[in-house]
Amino acid sequence: MACTFSERLAPCSFAAGPAMLPREVLAQIREDLPDWHGSGFSLLEQSFTGTAFKQLMADTEQDLRALLAIPHNYRVLFMQGGASAQFGLLPLNLLEPGQSADYLESGLWAHKAIGEARRHAPVNVVASGAAGGFTALPPVAGWRCNPYAGYCHITSNETGNGLQMPGFPELPVPLVADTTSDFLTRPIAVERFGLIYASAQKNLGVAGLCLVIVREDLLRPPRRGLPSAFSYQVQAMQQSRFNTPPTFALYVAGLMLRWIIRQGGLTLMAARAREKSRRLYECLDSHDFYRCPQVAADRSTINVCFQLENPGLLDDFFHQAARNGLHDLQGHSAVGGVRASLYNAVEMAAVERLVHFMNDFAHHHG
Ligand SMILES: Cc1ncc(COP(=O)(O)O)c(C=O)c1O
């Protein structure tokens, strides 16, 4: 197949994470790396207990609070271990011994969260999309909730299956959300949740930082066996400095937050995500060559997942895409096919290039 784009075009990554960073953010990192704020030291050499770094943490929290309109009775924690560590830490921090939690099994990541939670507490799966191959979200009306559960866990965006919750239910128990892959891509009413968590490496910078936003009344003394560094209450009491926080990831998160604010905030990020994904779904639906099995109402604006009707062409698809500067389009290993992740730093122009390439590939092979 002929290469339709110049090899000189800037390469674009559609990786599910770590994701691309905005060019301005990368330029700022390059500038700050050798000598941070004229201190004579790299930002990598800053003490986390020094005044300058404490200020960076305070500013980062303040920007996040402003962007998400986080109410005063919520604490922001900068933690490590990724969202995967939170899967186990949620029951250990939020439940009494023996108390159960509700979980929605909406896709691969919810399934993992359930597996980890079950190691520490009884879990009630309120509904599952597994029988349908995780191509639709189970309707809230059919959830079998336990009114005595310690919390109900949802996954706002299923990164591997390309499903995104368009809204969030009102429940009698605290709602806990893994928002890792759509955090800061749309406004979210924090006051509707007991706890929100997200790894940083998709829309908040680089790997190493996991953000937890938790309502104060859910904080409790660490239960037996829970390491203090992973206790929400201990970290809240010590402003996330019980131990060394991931300083570089925190610094990049600060840059990302300011970039999002400069761009116009979360309403603008959401509008861009809608437009980018609309272009891709429109292209997919116009060709029999591609198959996008997710029901339209639940399709993710962030991770667009699809198959080629002829899977034998996948290797060529990835190869040709890479030759056109369009990288990291492989689907999740458990799902296969193609996945284009449209995080905040992925520009509309890159999506247009991908659409152009996909039209061309379909015409050539269809
Ligand atoms: C929705 C969701 N939850 C959890 C994770 C796991 O995050 P981490 O690798 O930071 O543990 C991911 C990673 O892609 C994800 O997409």
Side-chain angles (χ1 to χ4, degrees):
M1 180 197 161
C3 193
T4 50
F5 294 97
S6 158
E7 303 281 353
R8 283 177 285 115
L9 281 176
C12 180
S13 165
F14 292 93
M20 286 186 82
L21 294 169
R23 275 165 296 195
E24 298 98 291
V25 167
L26 278 174
Q28 188 68 52
I29 294 171
R30 263 195 296 273
E31 194 179 317
D32 287 345
L33 207 56
D35 181 1
W36 190 55
H37 291 186
S39 63
F41 295 101
S42 165
L43 69 93
L44 299 174
E45 300 166 303
Q46 300 294 324
S47 159
F48 78 97
T49 52
T51 313
F53 201 81
K54 280 184 175 169
Q55 190 58 50
L56 181 147
M57 289 180 79
D59 292 346
T60 303
E61 177 170 342
Q62 202 181 340
D63 285 340
L64 187 75
R65 284 186 172 278
L67 256 184
L68 285 169
I70 301 177
H72 292 300
N73 60 329
Y74 283 73
R75 303 297 298 265
V76 173
L77 310 179
F78 300 111
M79 300 193 67
Q80 306 199 41
S84 301
Q86 295 303 322
F87 293 165
L89 295 176
L90 290 167
L92 289 172
N93 273 284
L94 300 180
L95 299 179
E96 301 284 0
Q99 193 181 18
S100 76
D102 280 356
Y103 276 73
L104 174 69
E105 193 176 36
S106 47
L108 289 168
W109 285 108
H111 180 76
K112 286 197 181 193
I114 290 166
E116 280 296 300
R118 278 213 166 107
R119 302 180 63 219
H120 307 288
V123 164
N124 166 44
V125 175
V126 298
S128 173
F134 296 125
T135 52
L137 295 168
V140 180
W143 295 13
R144 292 173 305 278
C145 296
N146 170 9
Y148 304 105
Y151 60 85
C152 179
H153 181 280
I154 58 167
T155 308
S156 60
N157 185 69
E158 283 288 354
T159 323
N161 306 94
L163 297 174
Q164 185 175 32
M165 296 184 76
F168 303 105
E170 293 281 358
L171 296 175
V173 301
L175 195 56
V176 168
D178 175 3
T179 64
T180 292
S181 48
D182 66 353
F183 191 60
L184 302 182
T185 66
R186 56 175 169 168
I188 186 168
V190 174
E191 63 277 10
R192 300 270 310 274
F193 295 83
L195 185 149
I196 292 171
Y197 64 103
S199 279
Q201 66 270 18
K202 299 175 196 291
N203 286 295
L204 187 59
V206 299
L209 170 67
C210 186
L211 210 97
V212 175
I213 303 170
V214 56
R215 213 173 62 207
E216 271 170 0
D217 62 287
L218 297 176
L219 297 172
R220 59 178 71 213
R223 103 186 197 189
R224 202 175 151 75
L226 175 65
S228 303
F230 288 127
S231 155
Y232 299 152
Q233 190 191 58
V234 169
Q235 288 290 11
M237 278 166 31
Q238 306 216 17
Q239 286 80 41
S240 305
R241 285 190 290 270
F242 168 80
N243 61 328
T244 313
T247 54
F248 181 69
L250 254 160
Y251 153 80
V252 180
L255 296 183
M256 280 300 295
L257 288 166
R258 286 202 294 284
W259 179 81
I260 293 172
I261 292 168
R262 280 199 307 278
Q263 298 294 301
L266 299 183
T267 308
L268 193 103
M269 292 297 126
R272 282 187 187 166
R274 272 197 306 273
E275 185 53 16
K276 288 186 287 188
S277 56
R278 190 191 63 76
R279 282 291 287 131
L280 266 181
Y281 288 123
E282 192 180 67
C283 167
L284 290 168
D285 291 341
S286 70
H287 293 284
D288 292 338
F289 184 83
Y290 301 110
R291 186 165 45 84
C292 189
Q294 298 81 4
V295 303
D298 298 336
R299 284 177 173 179
S300 171
T301 58
I302 305 301
N303 305 97
V304 176
C305 301
F306 58 97
Q307 305 288 334
L308 267 54
E309 280 299 352
N310 177 356
L313 291 172
L314 266 177
D315 283 348
D316 194 33
F317 180 92
F318 295 133
H319 179 70
Q320 295 296 341
R323 286 193 60 200
N324 285 276
L326 306 164
H327 297 273
D328 300 310
L329 283 158
Q330 283 75 6
H332 187 284
S333 55
V335 178
V338 186
R339 167 172 55 181
S341 297
L342 309 176
Y343 299 124
N344 287 342
V346 174
E347 293 174 0
M348 187 67 199
V351 176
E352 293 295 354
R353 280 168 59 194
L354 179 58
V355 167
H356 189 151
F357 165 76
M358 284 167 55
N359 283 332
D360 217 39
F361 193 86
H363 287 136
H364 193 267
H365 293 280

